[in-house]
Amino acid sequence: SFSTLDSFFDQSDASKQDMLKEARRRRSQRASMAYQTRLENAAAAKNRITSINPKGNKKSSNSYYEPSRQTSGSQTVNDAMERIGDAIGKEVKDGKHAVFPKSEDVQVILRPKRLRGRKDMLRDILVKCFHLRGKCVPNLNLRDGDLLDYYLNASPDDIDGYEDRKFVTQCSVKELGTFAIYKLLQHTKSLA
């Protein structure tokens, strides 16, 4: 089995061959110990996961978004996204949108840092519910945390009369979301 080694070493180099065999044996022993440790760690991790989640589905901590994350009450991000999508997809009657999404659902989808499809959904709210396209979002130059406070405390005349506007495609998610919340709240106030 050591024919390649035999070609490089003479029979007089038996001590070198013994050293190589010993080094190979130590490497093999370390590799088998590492493999056993890996198997034990995998079994322990599987036991932890199944004790937390009996179905055995592993929840990734670095997933794109976590749909099962609980928010206020029994609402999850996926539930809010589904309700908003259902409301946007309803029939349009007499040139006006029949069902508007709730502002609470928009607030729920604004909480995660990353969420696939959120910006498109916010854009759809503005387009389908309020017929707003292009440069329609006020360019307030406020931090993201201050936007909602401004919209909640400003008068509609201040916001509607604001000259400097941004394109929907150039807005951040927070700018789109807070403006959508403002428009939805104005709509509910007009119905009351």
Side-chain angles (χ1 to χ4, degrees), residues 60-114:
S60 174
S61 62
N62 61 351
S63 64
Y64 191 69
Y65 67 94
E66 296 183 22
S68 64
R69 179 181 10 201
Q70 292 292 325
T71 56
S72 63
S74 64
Q75 294 179 344
T76 62
V77 175
N78 272 354
D79 293 340
M81 293 274 288
E82 189 174 318
R83 283 191 297 271
I84 292 171
D86 290 345
I88 291 173
K90 296 287 184 189
E91 287 288 320
V92 176
K93 295 180 181 175
D94 301 327
K96 293 191 176 187
H97 207 270
V99 178
F100 285 77
K102 293 182 179 178
S103 62
E104 294 85 15
D105 288 336
V106 177
Q107 288 176 347
V108 168
I109 68 168
L110 287 179
R111 288 189 186 130
K113 283 187 177 181
R114 299 175 69 181

Side-chain angles (χ1 to χ4, degrees), residues 129-140:
C129 297
F130 301 106
H131 307 290
L132 296 174
R133 301 175 191 276
K135 272 190 167 180
C136 63
V137 180
N139 188 10
L140 299 175

Side-chain angles (χ1 to χ4, degrees), residues 162-179:
Y162 203 81
E163 295 287 324
D164 190 19
R165 303 238 171 209
K166 285 173 89 170
F167 284 103
V168 172
T169 54
Q170 294 175 340
C171 292
S172 69
V173 170
K174 293 290 185 184
E175 288 173 319
L176 275 179
T178 53
F179 186 63

Side-chain angles (χ1 to χ4, degrees), residues 20-48:
L20 287 173
K21 286 180 184 178
E22 179 63 25
R24 181 180 289 141
R25 185 189 63 75
R26 279 186 270 139
R27 282 193 310 268
S28 174
Q29 191 176 20
R30 271 187 262 138
S32 63
M33 287 173 51
Y35 181 68
Q36 288 299 321
T37 305
R38 218 171 20 247
L39 288 177
E40 290 169 4
N41 290 343
K46 185 175 182 180
N47 288 339
R48 279 193 309 262

